[in-house]
Amino acid sequence: MILPCHKNLCLKIVPYLITRLTKVANALTISDLPVRFTMSVKSRLPEFLEKCERERDRVVDFWLQNSHDTEHGGFYVCLDRDGKVYDDTKYCWLQGRQVWMYCRLYNEVEKYDRQDVLQAAIAGGEFLMKHVRDPATMKCSFAVTRDGRTVKVQRQPFSEVFYFLGLSELYRATGEAKYREEALKMMDQLVHWMTVDDSGLGRPKWPGAPATDNMAVPMMLMCMIDQLEMMDPALTNKYAGLAERCVEQLLLHIQRDGTVILEQVSPDGQELPGCLGRLQNPGHAIECSWFLLQYAVRHNRPDLKKTAINNFLLQPFESGWDDKHGGLFYFLDVDGYSPTQLEWNMKLWWPHNEALIAFLVAYKETKDEQMLEKFAKVFDYSFSHFVDPDHGEWYGYLSQQGEVTQRFKGGPFKGCFHVPRCLHMCTQILRELVTT
Amino acid sequence: MILPCHKNLCLKIVPYLITRLTKVANALTISDLPVRFTMSVKSRLPEFLEKCERERDRVVDFWLQNSHDTEHGGFYVCLDRDGKVYDDTKYCWLQGRQVWMYCRLYNEVEKYDRQDVLQAAIAGGEFLMKHVRDPATMKCSFAVTRDGRTVKVQRQPFSEVFYFLGLSELYRATGEAKYREEALKMMDQLVHWMTVDDSGLGRPKWPGAPATDNMAVPMMLMCMIDQLEMMDPALTNKYAGLAERCVEQLLLHIQRDGTVILEQVSPDGQELPGCLGRLQNPGHAIECSWFLLQYAVRHNRPDLKKTAINNFLLQPFESGWDDKHGGLFYFLDVDGYSPTQLEWNMKLWWPHNEALIAFLVAYKETKDEQMLEKFAKVFDYSFSHFVDPDHGEWYGYLSQQGEVTQRFKGGPFKGCFHVPRCLHMCTQILRELVTT
């Protein structure tokens, strides 16, 4: 009986000692030692795992405790620092995303294989179907009142994307055919709008507005196809051609001899004039990188894997990272002009979530320690700036200097999605890395 | 001959000595003297005048040098710190505003009674009539290409307001009947949209969107009526009833027992639920104050004068001023929640322009030195933060801490308007104050 006990003790103590030793070693400066003593960042894997998992549970708990509208179904999203509802408008991107997140956790994490999680997701899905989607046009509201009356409709089809994602994952959780049918119907509609004819979205065509390829569109489509394949692997072939076209479209955004990713280009891959053409959104490029990387791995495409890492991950990360204050800028102008977006220099939570996922996927797929070092850099910034020690869910908005500018945890564009998705995926990958 | 020379010298030296003495006196702290020695802020009037006039000319010169499109007419508005065009899209609020500003200067300032100023204004007015306004619907574009093709149309009628202002002042400058007719036609259309039926604007009515009274609408209407009366005093009676209704509508925005101005209320003057209802925009309330104050003076309404100063100027100024870093916040939530607008804590140029005008008008009309002291506070902040010593026109966007976040001088929402209008009006009022 002594040996197993020792083994357990060792399993706990060794990672702890490594972490402590690394911290001591890293605290020493060049003046303390002739050569700086550094330990491999790999030694931090157990620490990363433990913190991601603990933080995932604190975050999910925040939403479970504070966001459920038990009367009408669906979720409150405007939650103050401590979870108090400061506005009961239901923003619909976030309704779909929270249904998806709850179901993904229910489907993949033993701890969340619980009735309260599933029931809240179902109530969210029913709210979406009853109040958010217009059955005649399939257009979804952007925002509705607490009881489901439309407040605003966007002409971009993003509410619809998250409607699809939520119902698709809800089908995976429940096996209920109606959610599958609804998801497939919305998928067909979205593919029609995004690739055949977008006149149903009501967007006017002005003679001076250039035709553009917005990186968000092929990225979203890839994400949807990925979801669909999880829901029903038999559909893989149906969408294989479209997925490949999305990849081609994404690659058009590599510009200026392969040195930058631009957010908008012409449909044939030319740089557009003015601010619109020069816009960079590092977080978006980094998000793309892990979609592309996973696709490249699945389809055994080493060239695409290299492009995903070099062009969509490393380059945007290097140019988007603020060397002075840390953190990723929100927008940049590739020629160094000031972006016209007032929030360009703020540090938003979600690009950091995307970077954590991307570097960990890249490390898993390449075992290149550089990837893990950059993961550690983003991890340290994120856990020291976005995490609220007193209440769950991360802050979303920091100044360039890293001060919290918006104390709320949920708002019109921030809900139960990026933080728990990131922490869930990182926990999964880290567990695999630690145990192999 | 000796006496007049002495007199001239005295006229120059006395204000200089007063300014220097005041600075020395103010630099002394409580520990230096048993009672703090302060000089009346009135002694700074000559300094304010000299700096406003000099700055006005530097600013106007920046636009004269850099913004004219001599090929197509109209103005480049996206100008970098040094005047370089970084995007040639023509934002139409700013086209109308620049026509108005050039004509106002041409009409009121001897120095700008020049052919180059008038010709640029005419070229701008012709561009507006030819490219910006749809003759069938009277809707104006929000943005057009350099050669006038529509890029974007807003469903709020603000481009149309500035179209009216520009052409009305252009008629005053040229006496050309076509500009007057065009201005009157747009005025009628705007009054129809704003007070009778707004269906022509194409704004959808959603069942969950509350009916709101946005303070911008009656404020804009008052500004337009004021412009119309300048253009043709015979029209005063025609719009007297409407002006009075605008005043009544503005007064509905005084909420919570007279302690706050809220940006949006219900049409019958009730506070709206959620973030929308709690929103404060101190710069907007302060802008309103000087429209209301001027109206109250013209119509001999002492109660309204008091309301304009106490409710629309002093209260929003006190609650909107950042005691830690100086400057006026852009947005606030009346209950202290974080506003969802990411830029809420930034210091924008235009609220400071409005505050300079408002406090100076208030001082002129009341001779209450408190108003001049607050003018001085805004003046000192503005001249030390927004002014660029190397190139004309002010910076527009600062962080909460007062650092320049956007280096450009002109952008989609910042053109040749707030800064020169403020400096022109302040120069006029200060000259009156200094010489009487």
Side-chain angles (χ1 to χ4, degrees):
Chain A
M1 290 298 284
I2 289 167
L3 213 71
C5 266
H6 263 108
K7 208 173 155 188
N8 273 340
L9 198 65
C10 280
L11 275 174
K12 281 188 183 167
I13 280 181
V14 168
Y16 171 79
L17 284 177
I18 289 174
T19 306
R20 296 296 303 172
L21 266 171
T22 312
K23 279 190 183 161
V24 170
N26 287 339
L28 296 170
T29 66
I30 209 78
S31 58
D32 302 312
L33 285 173
V35 175
R36 186 173 158 81
F37 172 70
T38 52
M39 293 187 65
S40 161
V41 67
K42 283 203 283 185
S43 63
R44 293 186 64 189
L45 285 171
E47 174 208 343
F48 296 146
L49 171 58
E50 187 255 318
K51 288 188 177 164
C52 280
E53 185 165 17
R54 190 177 39 176
E55 197 52 27
R56 178 199 70 194
D57 293 340
R58 289 182 71 235
V59 166
V60 173
D61 197 52
F62 177 88
W63 296 100
L64 288 170
Q65 294 301 321
N66 300 300
S67 69
H68 300 181
D69 179 354
T70 50
E71 190 183 343
H72 297 283
F75 308 99
Y76 301 115
V77 293
C78 292
L79 301 182
D80 206 8
R81 190 192 160 199
D82 60 0
K84 189 181 166 196
V85 179
Y86 65 87
D87 188 309
D88 64 9
T89 306
K90 288 177 178 158
Y91 291 91
C92 302
W93 294 14
L94 309 179
Q95 302 297 313
R97 283 169 164 180
Q98 191 157 352
V99 172
W100 179 88
M101 191 70 242
Y102 274 22
C103 293
R104 182 58 64 100
L105 289 166
Y106 175 85
N107 292 334
E108 295 188 350
V109 184
E110 205 182 327
K111 179 174 203 163
Y112 295 110
D113 179 0
R114 289 174 3 202
Q115 276 307 305
D116 60 332
V117 175
L118 184 65
Q119 290 311 319
I122 290 171
E126 293 293 330
F127 186 89
L128 282 170
M129 287 172 66
K130 190 167 171 194
H131 300 296
V132 171
R133 179 263 295 111
D134 179 332
T137 64
M138 294 301 279
K139 271 296 290 169
C140 289
S141 301
F142 171 73
V144 297
T145 56
R146 197 190 146 198
D147 59 0
R149 286 167 295 129
T150 297
V151 174
K152 187 178 169 182
V153 178
Q154 278 187 320
R155 292 184 280 192
Q156 293 277 11
F158 297 135
S159 293
E160 293 80 359
V161 169
F162 299 113
Y163 180 93
F164 159 78
L165 290 175
L167 292 180
S168 164
E169 194 69 14
L170 186 58
Y171 165 68
R172 291 186 68 219
T174 60
E176 280 261 15
K178 67 173 175 179
Y179 300 132
R180 182 189 144 92
E181 279 158 29
E182 189 66 18
L184 289 174
K185 202 171 151 196
M186 186 57 93
M187 179 77 186
D188 286 344
Q189 182 63 67
L190 278 162
V191 170
H192 179 79
W193 282 329
M194 288 176 165
T195 66
V196 183
D197 175 13
D198 69 355
S199 59
L201 297 174
R203 285 186 295 199
K205 307 260 186 290
W206 300 113
T212 59
D213 185 81
N214 182 335
M215 200 160 72
V217 173
M219 191 169 78
M220 292 270 188
L221 269 172
M222 279 194 80
C223 174
M224 286 158 54
I225 294 169
D226 192 45
Q227 173 69 35
L228 212 60
E229 290 179 15
M230 282 189 91
M231 184 178 97
D232 186 349
L235 290 166
T236 306
N237 280 345
K238 181 176 174 189
Y239 289 100
L242 181 58
E244 195 49 38
R245 285 205 300 284
C246 289
V247 172
E248 281 163 23
Q249 242 179 304
L250 286 176
L251 297 182
L252 295 179
H253 292 261
I254 307 174
Q255 291 287 321
R256 301 202 177 185
D257 299 324
T259 58
V260 296
I261 301 292
L262 297 180
E263 191 68 9
Q264 323 256 359
V265 293
S266 76
D268 61 343
Q270 301 303 306
E271 188 173 328
L272 296 163
C275 295
L276 184 75
R278 293 194 305 266
L279 188 68
Q280 294 174 287
N281 180 332
H284 239 177
I286 291 168
E287 186 175 8
C288 248
S289 78
W290 65 264
F291 288 138
L292 281 173
L293 183 53
Q294 289 184 328
Y295 183 89
V297 170
R298 275 203 307 278
H299 294 82
N300 192 22
R301 298 261 298 269
D303 278 1
L304 186 60
K305 189 171 155 181
K306 217 169 118 184
T307 302
I309 293 177
N310 291 340
N311 295 88
F312 283 84
L313 177 53
L314 290 177
Q315 190 285 325
F317 181 75
E318 292 308 330
S319 62
W321 188 261
D322 181 352
D323 286 326
K324 190 169 173 199
H325 300 288
L328 284 162
F329 287 113
Y330 192 17
F331 293 110
L332 291 170
D333 179 294
V334 69
D335 284 338
Y337 293 103
S338 296
T340 54
Q341 290 82 356
L342 298 192
E343 66 277 26
W344 75 272
N345 64 344
M346 289 178 72
K347 311 293 165 62
L348 270 66
W349 82 108
W350 69 262
H352 300 82
N353 290 147
E354 302 305 334
L356 288 170
I357 299 170
F359 282 121
L360 211 51
V361 173
Y363 175 67
K364 181 185 150 197
E365 298 301 340
T366 63
K367 292 294 180 313
D368 177 352
E369 262 189 54
Q370 188 200 167
M371 301 302 153
L372 200 55
E373 275 156 18
K374 291 191 197 302
F375 172 85
K377 187 174 181 174
V378 182
F379 181 95
D380 290 337
Y381 180 84
S382 299
F383 275 70
S384 60
H385 286 81
F386 290 112
V387 170
D388 174 1
D390 299 324
H391 304 281
E393 180 59 36
W394 291 12
Y395 294 115
Y397 305 91
L398 313 178
S399 69
Q400 180 171 1
Q401 289 73 25
E403 293 160 342
V404 174
T405 55
Q406 255 87 354
R407 74 178 192 206
F408 55 70
K409 301 294 178 54
F413 295 93
K414 180 171 187 288
C416 177
F417 186 62
H418 284 101
V419 183
R421 175 174 78 163
C422 162
L423 294 168
H424 166 56
M425 288 181 69
C426 288
T427 300
Q428 280 182 322
I429 300 169
L430 285 162
R431 179 160 300 123
E432 210 179 310
L433 291 170
V434 167
T435 53
T436 52
Chain B
M1 290 296 283
I2 290 167
L3 214 68
C5 267
H6 263 108
K7 208 172 153 188
N8 273 341
L9 198 64
C10 279
L11 276 173
K12 281 186 183 170
I13 280 179
V14 169
Y16 171 78
L17 284 178
I18 289 173
T19 307
R20 296 296 302 173
L21 266 171
T22 312
K23 280 189 184 164
V24 170
N26 287 339
L28 297 171
T29 66
I30 209 78
S31 59
D32 302 313
L33 285 174
V35 175
R36 185 173 160 82
F37 172 71
T38 53
M39 291 188 66
S40 162
V41 67
K42 283 204 283 183
S43 62
R44 292 186 65 189
L45 286 170
E47 174 208 342
F48 296 146
L49 171 59
E50 187 255 316
K51 287 186 178 164
C52 280
E53 185 164 17
R54 191 176 39 175
E55 198 51 28
R56 179 198 69 194
D57 293 340
R58 287 181 73 235
V59 166
V60 174
D61 196 51
F62 178 88
W63 295 101
L64 288 170
Q65 294 300 320
N66 300 301
S67 70
H68 299 180
D69 179 353
T70 50
E71 190 184 344
H72 296 282
F75 308 100
Y76 301 116
V77 293
C78 292
L79 301 182
D80 206 7
R81 190 193 160 198
D82 60 0
K84 189 182 165 195
V85 179
Y86 64 88
D87 188 311
D88 64 10
T89 306
K90 289 177 177 159
Y91 291 91
C92 302
W93 294 15
L94 309 179
Q95 302 297 314
R97 282 169 163 181
Q98 191 158 350
V99 172
W100 180 88
M101 191 70 241
Y102 274 21
C103 293
R104 183 57 63 100
L105 290 166
Y106 176 84
N107 292 333
E108 295 187 351
V109 183
E110 204 182 327
K111 181 173 200 166
Y112 295 110
D113 179 0
R114 288 173 6 201
Q115 275 307 305
D116 61 334
V117 176
L118 184 65
Q119 290 311 318
I122 291 171
E126 293 294 329
F127 186 89
L128 282 170
M129 287 173 66
K130 190 168 171 193
H131 299 296
V132 172
R133 180 264 293 111
D134 179 333
T137 64
M138 293 302 278
K139 270 297 291 169
C140 289
S141 300
F142 172 73
V144 297
T145 57
R146 195 188 149 199
D147 59 1
R149 286 167 296 129
T150 296
V151 174
K152 188 179 169 182
V153 178
Q154 278 188 319
R155 292 183 281 190
Q156 293 277 11
F158 297 136
S159 293
E160 293 79 358
V161 169
F162 300 114
Y163 181 93
F164 159 78
L165 291 176
L167 291 181
S168 165
E169 194 70 15
L170 186 57
Y171 165 68
R172 291 186 68 218
T174 61
E176 279 261 13
K178 67 173 174 178
Y179 301 131
R180 182 188 143 92
E181 279 158 30
E182 190 66 19
L184 289 174
K185 203 172 150 196
M186 187 57 92
M187 179 77 186
D188 286 344
Q189 182 62 67
L190 279 162
V191 170
H192 179 79
W193 282 330
M194 288 176 167
T195 66
V196 183
D197 175 14
D198 69 355
S199 58
L201 297 174
R203 285 186 294 199
K205 307 261 186 290
W206 300 112
T212 59
D213 185 82
N214 182 335
M215 200 160 72
V217 173
M219 190 169 79
M220 291 271 188
L221 269 173
M222 279 194 80
C223 174
M224 286 158 55
I225 294 169
D226 192 45
Q227 173 70 34
L228 211 61
E229 290 179 16
M230 281 188 91
M231 185 179 96
D232 186 348
L235 291 167
T236 306
N237 280 345
K238 182 178 173 187
Y239 289 100
L242 181 58
E244 195 51 37
R245 285 204 300 284
C246 290
V247 172
E248 281 163 24
Q249 242 179 303
L250 286 175
L251 298 183
L252 295 179
H253 292 261
I254 307 174
Q255 292 287 321
R256 301 201 176 186
D257 299 323
T259 58
V260 296
I261 301 293
L262 297 180
E263 190 69 9
Q264 322 257 359
V265 293
S266 76
D268 62 343
Q270 302 302 307
E271 189 174 326
L272 296 164
C275 295
L276 184 75
R278 293 194 306 266
L279 188 68
Q280 294 174 288
N281 180 332
H284 239 177
I286 291 168
E287 186 174 7
C288 248
S289 78
W290 65 264
F291 288 138
L292 281 173
L293 183 53
Q294 289 184 328
Y295 182 89
V297 169
R298 274 202 308 277
H299 294 81
N300 193 22
R301 298 260 298 268
D303 278 0
L304 185 61
K305 189 171 155 182
K306 218 169 118 185
T307 303
I309 292 177
N310 291 341
N311 296 88
F312 283 84
L313 177 53
L314 290 177
Q315 191 285 325
F317 181 75
E318 293 307 331
S319 63
W321 188 260
D322 180 352
D323 286 326
K324 190 168 172 199
H325 300 288
L328 285 162
F329 287 114
Y330 193 16
F331 292 110
L332 291 170
D333 178 295
V334 69
D335 284 339
Y337 292 103
S338 296
T340 54
Q341 290 82 358
L342 298 191
E343 66 277 27
W344 76 272
N345 64 344
M346 289 178 71
K347 312 293 166 62
L348 270 67
W349 82 107
W350 68 263
H352 300 81
N353 290 147
E354 300 306 332
L356 288 170
I357 298 170
F359 282 121
L360 211 51
V361 173
Y363 174 67
K364 181 186 149 195
E365 298 302 338
T366 63
K367 292 295 180 313
D368 176 352
E369 260 188 54
Q370 188 201 166
M371 302 301 153
L372 200 56
E373 275 157 16
K374 292 190 195 302
F375 171 85
K377 187 175 182 173
V378 182
F379 181 95
D380 290 339
Y381 180 85
S382 300
F383 275 70
S384 59
H385 286 82
F386 290 111
V387 170
D388 174 1
D390 299 325
H391 303 281
E393 181 59 35
W394 291 12
Y395 293 116
Y397 306 91
L398 313 178
S399 69
Q400 180 172 1
Q401 289 73 25
E403 292 159 343
V404 174
T405 56
Q406 254 86 354
R407 75 178 192 206
F408 56 70
K409 301 295 179 53
F413 295 92
K414 181 172 187 286
C416 177
F417 186 62
H418 285 100
V419 183
R421 176 174 76 163
C422 161
L423 294 168
H424 166 56
M425 287 180 70
C426 288
T427 300
Q428 280 182 321
I429 301 169
L430 285 162
R431 179 159 300 123
E432 210 180 312
L433 292 170
V434 166
T435 53
T436 51

